[in-house]
Structures are given as structure tokens and as C-alpha cells.
Amino acid sequence: MNSAIRILCLSLALLLTLAACGSGGAGQQAEPVQARQNPPSPEERFTALLVELWGLQDRAREMQEWQSKNDMFPFLRRFHELLNETKDLPGVFDDIHADYMLKLLRKHDAGLAGRMEKGELSKFVSYHFGGCWNQVYKPEGGGPSRCRTEYDAAPPVADREKDCAAYIAEFVRRVVDVRLMLESEAAEERALTIEKLSTEIFKTGIEEWTLGLHPEIDLPAKVRAIVAGSHPKVAEDFTAMLTSRNTRMAEYSQERARDRLEQLHRTEMEFRRTDPDRNGANDFWTADVSGLYRLKPRGRPIACVPGDIAAEDGSPLKEDSALGAMPRAADYRVYLLLAVSLDSEGKPLGTDTDGSGRAWRNRARFAFCAYPAVYGRGRRNTYLMDQTGTIWMKDTGGKAVERFPSNPEGDQWSVVREADGGEDLPTLSPEEEKTAIDGLIAELDGDEYRAQDAASALAVWGVRASRAVPGLLRILKGAGAYYRAGAARALGKIGASPSEALPVLLGIAKDDKEDMALRCECLDAVGEFGSDAAGAVGELRQLTASEAFDLRAAALRAMEMTDEVLESTRDFRIEGWVGLLKKKNLHNRADDCRSALLRIGLPAVPALEKIAADRVAGEDARKLIREIRRAAK
């Protein structure tokens, strides 16, 4: 399911998973199985789970209340003071901080220390405390990090070590243990069970119903009918939550559809100006929605829009040599997107603008619509947008728009968002374009700040700024890591003169004396060259032997340059990403591993199964396996 929708469904998902945390309150227990002669019916099982769920709300509420009433900053301040008395440390939550926390727990709470040594609390250490660290501290003059002024004061205590250990123990009991139960495999299985029972009994799952599917089903009434007899209060509260959640999700999904159209408008304006498809024409993409992600001018998708937008295309072009595969769609698509095929005069918006024989573009116009995937229950509006940026709304009965109306207002379309000025971005004449790019190239010889701004602007021009390559290479061979990183980024986006640019980029990436961020930026730029960089795979493989996580990850990412390279390096990349997942205390950087392995899919499962029992990476590995298998279904 799409992450944005899943976030808004969090409260419902939380309630569902709470059923795995324990039993319900007194008088709320389901009848013991051994006391029955017959197994419980699906309706009885559903009711028992729902009662347990509602009986456990108090514990979740207590967790939230404790977090809101207990300020973490005094603990962080004291912990930091103790740490700095040991040695000077950077103002980030790294392995040294975790090791010191373990030292305190060994002295004051051996049980908790044992759990931490087994890796049970690794995510708690890096996420719950580490996320607050940089909000509180900042390094000064290269010395030890200092507490920011607004957090300087912390009430004195008799024993700072003991107080810190006590806070950690209380936080684990009040928050971490609850969340570990909520995120456990058992909790996930219980949530799936109640969804399956809902589908079996009511012909719709709870989650999909709140997203607008099966509008003909009155789920609150059906739940009330089987639960209210034995547990009227639970039935009343749960059905009220369902109704409220559906209303909010309907409002959100329509707002999201309008946002999608707005994003498509911005993308089209950039598409015409920067020529990411490298066809040499100032034109809009009009063939479909997904092509703005799938088109492969250099052997890799141009990804002008995110994959989740491309996956919502209601009528995508077929995959071929010029268009990659469709990205995986969300579990439930609430609104679909469509490229309108005809203008107001009935003429095709798709024309052959570059002599390729493919009517995929238009030099002056485009239009898109967003329409409900399932019509009804708060999701009735269809939205329409053209090159002006204006968004109109109308109830079309759930039908997509194939021809743009000659008079939208006269055809009962109402404006919901005025044009944002996109129509005031005319195509530059060749002379004006040359003047603009030449001016930016001249800025490359200015001071570092002006040159950095110029490099960023040239990157936006893409291949049209190919004349800037010599100037960018000159910067890249110079001094100043940040300044050079901007040049590397621009070279990748421009993608011209690979025979000149790639050796320089790879040379910097392989130089251990260079700044790490610059080396990674150069590797990302190499990947941008697509098929032109296919010959660099051997050098990228060598770089994955580095001890530095960021460099290894950048080298693995760069291998995703073309479909052919993806296939030939698949096993190597699986081994590389799984190896990185096993590294200790990666914090948010582990997201890179998870995202990459999810993209690889089922072939990554055997390697993940081998580390499923690993104390550091086992939990992530098991979750990834479940996610990959669900996606495959």
C-alpha cells in the first residue's frame, strides 16, 4: 500500500495490531476454546478480537501520555555531560554513544544490558534517542559538542549515571516494549487475521473499506449487527471510528489527487524546458502519465515523477525498448491518473514532434485528469488540469476525461485551484536559450558560491547545457569538496561527453584521500550516465569492498544504470545490500538497504533468510521478507 495512505491509516492499523499485545479487560474475554464443544464461528472470532483490541486501548493511550509528560532533554543533557567527561565526541548518535549506554546499563541494570547486547533494543537506541540528538547538540569549533542554549538547564540529581540508567529502563518499559509488541510478527499476523475475517464475513476488509473500496457495503452497520448484542459499547465506538476514518480518508484522497495534478504540471514545465528525453525538441509528454517515469533515453528510467505517481496511470503505454516496466502499484489505488488524449477541438494531443514516428508529445499543450478508481462514498469528483495549471472539478460519475472541454465552466466544471503561473513560462527561442546557458557557464569562473549556483542551474538544463562540460570538469579537478560536488552532480544530470567525464568521476570516487561526500556524489553521477557508463561496472564492483557504508551504497546504487546491468549484477547487488544491512547501528542509512532489496524483490529472499536470525539485522530481514512476499502476491 502507498506509504502516504498507510501513514494516514496509522491509527486504524495501530488499533488492529494492538490485538496482539495481550488480553482484554475484565469481563471482556472471549469464551475459552476448551470450554466449547464447537470451534468459534468467524463472527465470534471477529468479535473476540475486536473486544481484545478495545480493551488494550488504555495501554497505548498510557504510552502516549507518558511520552508527552516526560521530557527527554534532561536525560540527554546528563548523558551528554557524562559522555564528554570521558572523551570529546561529535554531536551525533553513533556507536560510541550506544556503547556508553550499554556501559551504564551493565552497571545499573544487568537485565536490560543483556537485552541490548542481544540486539533487541538496537532500533530503540538509534531511533528513539538518536533522532533527538542533533536537535539538542551542535559541535563548536571542532571540539566537543555542546548543548544548545535553550536546553542547557537540567535539574541536578544525586547520581547522574543511575538517573540515566533509570530513565532508559522506564522508557523501555513504557514505550519500547509496547512498540516492540505492536511491530512484532505476531502482531502483524493478528492484524492480517482480523482483516481476513472482515473480508470473509462482510466481503470487504476494514482497511480497504476506509479507502473507499466497496462503496455499496455499509460496513459500520454490519459490524454493529454482530458485535452490539454482546458488546454494545465496543460496537458503538468502533463503528464511529470507521465512519470518521472513511470521511477523513475521502477528504485526503481528493486533496492528494489535486496535488498529483499540480505535480504533473510542474513536471511538464520542466520536461519542455530541459529535454530529459533527449529528443532535441521543446515539447510536453502527452502519451500517458507513466512515461514521465518509465522513458529510457539513456537505458534507465528518467524518473521525472516518482514511481508511485507512475503506478497510478489508468492507461499506461506498453513496455518496449524505449519504455521500462511499470512500477509496482499500491495495494489499493484510490484515484487513477490519465493523460487526456484529445484537445477541445477533438485533435490528438499526442503528436510526432521529433520525427521518431511516435505520437507521444506536443509542443504547446497537455492535459491530465484524476478520477476515482472506485466511484462513491465521498469519492465522486473527477479533476482536470491543462498546461495553464488551472484545476477543475466535476462529478463525471467516475468516468475519466478523454476530450478536454472547450468551455470547462460552461460544461459545469468548477475551478478548485487557479493557475500557478506555469503558463507564463514560455519556451525560449534558440538565441535566448544560448544566452542563458552561456551566462551560467561564465559564472563557473566566479567565486565558489556563484559557481555552485551556476552548476546547480546548469544541472536543471540537462543535456541542453552540454557546452558546460569543460567548465564543470575544470571545477571538478580543482579544490573545495562542496564546490566540486556541485559540478559532479551537474555532470551527471547533463550526461554529455561521457568519454571525458566518466574517467574523472571514477578517479575521484576511487581516491581514498578525497572527501567521502564528494566521492559518493561522483558515483551517483556515474549512474546517471546510464548505458554510457556500462563499462564502469568492474570499477564499481571494486568500490563495494570499501569499509565505508556510504561509498559501498553509492557504488551499488550506480549499478542500477540500465536494465541489462541490473540483471547481470543482481546477485552481486543482493550480496552487497544484505552485507550492509548487517552492519551495526546504521540508523536511517539502513533505509537504503531496505529500499534497494525491495526493488530487487523475490530473488533477494534467500539471502535475507540467511540473516533472519542475526541479532542486529534479523528483525529488518524478517520484515523485508514479509514485505517482498506480500508485494509478489
Side-chain angles (χ1 to χ4, degrees):
M1 179 181 185
N2 180 278
S3 59
I5 297 178
R6 194 175 290 280
I7 289 172
L8 283 186
C9 288
L10 182 60
S11 61
L12 175 59
L14 178 64
L15 290 175
L16 293 175
T17 53
L18 277 170
C21 299
S23 60
Q28 301 275 330
Q29 299 291 329
E31 184 179 354
V33 174
Q34 61 267 29
R36 301 177 58 91
Q37 295 183 354
N38 298 312
S41 67
E43 290 81 3
E44 290 171 325
R45 291 174 62 204
F46 179 87
T47 300
L49 284 172
L50 202 59
V51 169
E52 286 183 22
L53 180 154
W54 238 247
L56 289 165
Q57 284 187 98
D58 289 343
R59 187 165 184 186
R61 191 179 301 112
E62 287 172 2
M63 176 185 71
Q64 294 172 345
E65 290 176 355
W66 187 88
Q67 285 184 282
S68 65
K69 292 178 180 178
N70 287 269
D71 190 358
M72 184 182 291
F73 294 128
F75 157 76
L76 290 174
R77 175 59 174 156
R78 294 185 190 109
F79 187 84
H80 184 264
E81 288 172 352
L82 291 167
L83 208 52
N84 262 350
E85 290 170 10
T86 304
K87 60 171 68 178
D88 292 347
L89 296 168
V92 294
F93 201 87
D94 56 14
D95 287 357
I96 300 174
H97 296 74
D99 290 343
Y100 188 73
M101 184 178 289
L102 181 58
K103 179 181 177 181
L104 288 181
L105 293 177
R106 282 173 177 156
K107 185 175 180 180
H108 297 282
D109 194 323
L112 199 55
R115 292 181 60 189
M116 191 171 177
E117 288 172 330
K118 293 177 182 177
E120 291 182 27
L121 308 179
S122 58
K123 185 174 293 185
F124 144 69
V125 170
S126 63
Y127 177 73
H128 294 292
F129 285 159
C132 298
W133 208 261
N134 287 332
Q135 298 177 33
V136 186
Y137 302 107
K138 59 181 179 182
E140 295 181 355
S145 53
R146 303 297 180 192
C147 190
R148 293 181 179 175
T149 304
E150 59 266 37
Y151 301 125
D152 271 347
V157 292
D159 188 331
R160 288 178 298 169
E161 284 191 5
K162 187 174 181 180
D163 182 82
C164 285
Y167 181 89
I168 295 168
E170 185 72 358
F171 193 91
V172 168
R173 185 176 71 84
R174 295 273 194 172
V175 177
V176 179
D177 283 343
V178 174
R179 291 200 174 277
L180 285 175
M181 286 188 287
L182 294 178
E183 296 172 6
S184 67
E185 293 178 41
E188 188 172 327
E189 287 301 318
R190 187 66 64 88
L192 291 173
T193 299
I194 199 169
E195 280 291 297
K196 289 176 181 177
L197 286 170
S198 176
T199 301
E200 179 183 350
I201 300 166
F202 310 121
K203 310 307 178 186
T204 180
I206 294 170
E207 188 175 32
E208 63 186 50
W209 187 87
T210 63
L211 291 173
L213 278 70
H214 308 294
E216 74 283 359
I217 296 176
D218 186 349
L219 185 60
K222 289 181 175 291
V223 170
R224 194 180 299 112
I226 69 168
V227 177
S230 55
H231 301 282
K233 185 66 168 61
V234 172
E236 179 185 349
D237 291 347
F238 185 73
T239 54
M241 182 275 292
L242 279 180
T243 302
S244 172
R245 175 62 54 188
N246 176 67
T247 300
R248 280 180 283 173
M249 285 304 301
E251 294 171 354
Y252 163 72
S253 61
Q254 293 182 98
E255 179 71 17
R256 184 169 176 269
R258 298 191 291 269
D259 289 342
R260 294 298 210 204
L261 292 179
E262 209 169 77
Q263 186 168 355
L264 285 172
H265 180 261
R266 291 193 300 269
T267 299
E268 286 281 22
M269 290 299 161
E270 285 296 305
F271 188 94
R272 181 179 65 171
R273 184 162 71 91
T274 63
D275 194 25
D277 59 346
R278 296 172 174 256
N279 72 337
N282 288 323
D283 49 19
F284 298 120
W285 178 259
T286 58
D288 67 354
V289 173
S290 67
L292 290 167
Y293 175 88
R294 299 163 55 210
L295 200 61
K296 302 190 299 180
R298 291 193 284 177
R300 64 184 290 170
I302 57 174
C304 294
V305 296
D308 58 345
I309 289 183
E312 292 171 2
D313 192 338
S315 183
L317 292 174
K318 292 182 179 179
E319 180 181 353
D320 67 11
S321 59
L323 286 163
M326 281 288 289
R328 186 177 72 86
D331 295 345
Y332 311 117
R333 297 192 295 177
V334 182
Y335 264 82
L336 297 176
L337 302 168
L338 185 75
V340 177
S341 57
L342 303 174
D343 66 13
S344 58
E345 297 177 356
K347 297 177 181 178
L349 282 169
T351 61
D352 181 3
T353 61
D354 55 10
S356 65
R358 286 170 160 166
W360 283 356
R361 304 167 178 85
N362 192 297
R363 290 184 181 272
R365 300 178 209 146
F366 67 86
F368 294 101
C369 75
Y371 61 100
V374 178
Y375 177 77
R377 210 174 70 239
R379 299 162 182 84
R380 299 176 180 275
N381 293 320
T382 293
Y383 299 94
L384 182 65
M385 179 268 299
D386 68 357
Q387 69 279 352
T388 67
T390 301
I391 299 178
W392 293 271
M393 174 184 73
K394 179 181 177 180
D395 185 344
T396 64
K399 295 180 180 178
V401 179
E402 297 182 359
R403 175 173 173 170
F404 198 86
S406 56
N407 180 7
E409 286 83 0
D411 198 23
Q412 298 183 328
W413 289 88
S414 57
V415 175
V416 291
R417 289 189 190 175
E418 296 286 352
D420 62 1
E423 72 280 12
D424 296 326
L425 295 173
T427 302
L428 298 179
S429 68
E431 294 76 16
E432 292 171 324
E433 181 181 294
K434 182 178 184 301
T435 299
I437 293 175
D438 286 347
L440 292 170
I441 293 173
E443 290 289 311
L444 294 176
D445 293 323
D447 62 56
E448 287 192 9
Y449 296 103
R450 291 168 62 191
Q452 175 69 28
D453 290 342
S456 298
L458 287 165
V460 173
W461 279 100
V463 70
R464 297 189 191 283
S466 57
R467 298 192 306 282
V469 169
L472 292 167
L473 286 173
R474 186 172 60 252
I475 292 173
L476 195 56
K477 295 173 184 177
Y482 180 73
Y483 175 56
R484 296 163 67 200
R489 195 176 308 118
L491 285 168
K493 296 298 182 184
I494 293 170
S497 304
S499 61
E500 300 173 27
L502 287 172
V504 179
L505 292 166
L506 287 166
I508 294 171
K510 292 187 289 184
D511 190 345
D512 292 337
K513 296 179 182 177
E514 291 283 7
D515 176 80
M516 181 58 68
L518 172 61
R519 296 172 72 188
C520 294
E521 198 70 64
C522 286
L523 287 175
D524 287 338
V526 169
E528 290 279 0
F529 276 82
S531 55
D532 289 331
V537 171
E539 293 169 275
L540 295 174
R541 283 175 177 261
Q542 294 174 10
L543 285 166
T544 61
S546 169
E547 288 297 318
F549 173 92
D550 291 333
L551 193 69
R552 291 169 65 181
L556 289 167
R557 282 197 306 270
M559 291 183 190
E560 300 181 11
M561 55 182 70
T562 67
D563 290 344
E564 292 76 14
V565 175
L566 278 172
E567 182 62 28
S568 65
T569 64
R570 187 186 68 187
D571 292 343
F572 182 86
R573 288 183 295 109
I574 291 172
E575 181 182 351
W577 286 117
V578 170
L580 287 177
L581 195 63
K582 290 176 64 177
K583 287 181 71 68
K584 184 180 178 184
N585 292 327
L586 291 179
H587 318 315
N588 293 333
R589 294 182 302 179
D591 291 341
D592 289 342
C593 306
R594 289 189 284 268
S595 298
L597 291 166
L598 280 171
R599 290 195 297 271
I600 293 171
L602 285 173
V605 169
L608 288 168
E609 288 176 334
K610 291 179 180 179
I611 66 166
D614 185 84
R615 74 178 185 85
V616 174
E619 183 181 356
D620 278 332
R622 294 190 296 273
K623 285 187 176 181
L624 266 171
I625 291 169
R626 296 196 298 275
E627 287 185 58
I628 289 170
R629 285 175 172 163
R630 281 200 303 271
K633 292 179 182 179

